[in-house]
Amino acid sequence: MAVVEYSYDEMRKLINLTHTQIVASLSEMGAPSEYDRETKKIITEITPNRPDWYSVEGLVRALRAYYGKVHPKYQTLKSEYKVVVDPSVETIRPYTVCAVVKKLCFNDERIRDMVLLQEKLIGTLGRKVKKFGLGLYPLHTIKFPVRYTTMRPEEIKYVPLGYAREMTANEILEQHKKGKEHGYIARGWQRYPVFVDADNKIMCFIPVVNSAETG
């Protein structure tokens, strides 16, 4: 079970229910919940088979369906953006899925929620990035086509998130917080998987850490 907290005020903007109604409904839907009056948050236990409930939008979508309300439709379109997968990733981390999502309105609260959602998905279904990782990139910071490929450790040089200076792959593994946490997955590989944009900017050293410039 994953324990997730949601701002009641944010939920109220998306669905007009009292916190008592939300707690009762979620509990009936198999997500035991409670309301913290001090923090004004709904605290919910989510089972791993409902990762869409890890976000407030996903949870509210389920509540709207529960109450028989109409919920928004999401449309996907054929994209001109291309991600080229190099055969060298096949024996290391052979799969990737990418999407460009537009018309999102972010504020500090939304960004925080997105990061928390990312961490919950990585920590549960992703088995702490051993199975998969997630990266979020502002579209204006990268140039397409993007390549999912591999590089030798000495070829990887970029400024990772949380640092102000350029680092090599080995320095990231030895010194960076994420390198120390997840680097064991990549140790022993002769080449490391990376995302690189059309300007040859390294977007991410997988499965360790994104770039401070593009991530």
Side-chain angles (χ1 to χ4, degrees), residues 5-212:
E5 298 181 357
Y6 309 94
S7 165
Y8 170 64
D9 290 338
E10 288 297 313
M11 293 187 75
R12 185 69 181 269
K13 293 176 185 177
L14 300 173
I15 188 168
N16 188 23
L17 297 174
T18 67
H19 58 75
T20 301
Q21 288 175 306
I22 291 174
V23 166
S25 300
L26 290 177
S27 297
E28 290 175 4
M29 291 163 56
S33 303
E34 62 182 38
Y35 176 66
D36 188 317
R37 294 185 178 276
E38 185 175 343
T39 63
K40 295 184 178 180
K41 289 185 176 181
I42 305 290
I43 303 172
T44 305
E45 293 184 10
I46 308 294
T47 58
N49 66 323
R50 292 310 306 256
D52 55 313
W53 291 3
Y54 290 171
S55 71
V56 64
E57 291 82 6
L59 197 65
V60 168
R61 184 179 176 86
L63 282 169
R64 292 182 66 85
Y66 182 80
Y67 278 91
K69 298 178 181 291
V70 176
H71 49 74
K73 303 291 184 180
Y74 301 101
Q75 185 178 18
T76 59
L77 302 173
K78 185 176 181 180
S79 174
E80 296 299 322
Y81 300 103
K82 294 186 183 297
V83 176
V84 180
V85 180
D86 189 88
S88 62
V89 303
E90 185 174 359
T91 59
I92 304 175
R93 285 174 81 98
Y95 304 107
T96 186
V97 176
C98 303
V100 173
V101 183
K102 295 185 176 181
K103 297 183 180 180
L104 296 179
C105 296
F106 280 112
N107 54 29
D108 289 345
E109 184 75 18
R110 294 286 184 180
I111 293 173
R112 185 190 70 85
D113 288 345
M114 186 66 74
V115 171
L116 288 175
L117 171 61
Q118 181 184 20
E119 291 178 351
K120 288 293 184 184
L121 289 171
I122 290 173
T124 53
L125 297 182
R127 300 293 190 271
K128 297 183 178 179
V129 307
K130 191 172 182 179
K131 293 294 184 181
F132 68 79
L134 294 170
L136 305 173
Y137 305 92
L139 187 59
H140 70 274
T141 66
I142 58 179
K143 184 177 179 180
F144 285 86
V146 167
R147 289 179 291 126
Y148 177 40
T149 185
T150 61
M151 299 174 68
R152 295 192 302 272
E154 62 272 17
E155 296 176 316
I156 298 175
K157 295 178 182 180
Y158 71 106
V159 180
L161 278 175
Y163 269 65
R165 68 176 180 87
E166 184 178 88
M167 302 179 76
T168 65
N170 288 334
E171 287 177 326
I172 291 172
L173 292 177
E174 294 171 1
Q175 301 175 27
H176 196 282
K177 176 183 176 181
K178 293 297 183 181
K180 294 177 180 178
E181 185 177 355
H182 304 308
Y184 75 95
I185 300 171
R187 290 192 189 280
W189 291 347
Q190 299 300 309
R191 299 176 69 89
Y192 295 142
V194 291
F195 275 108
V196 183
D197 82 348
D199 286 333
N200 290 319
K201 292 186 295 188
I202 294 176
M203 300 164 54
C204 182
F205 165 21
I206 301 168
V208 183
V209 65
N210 283 344
S211 162

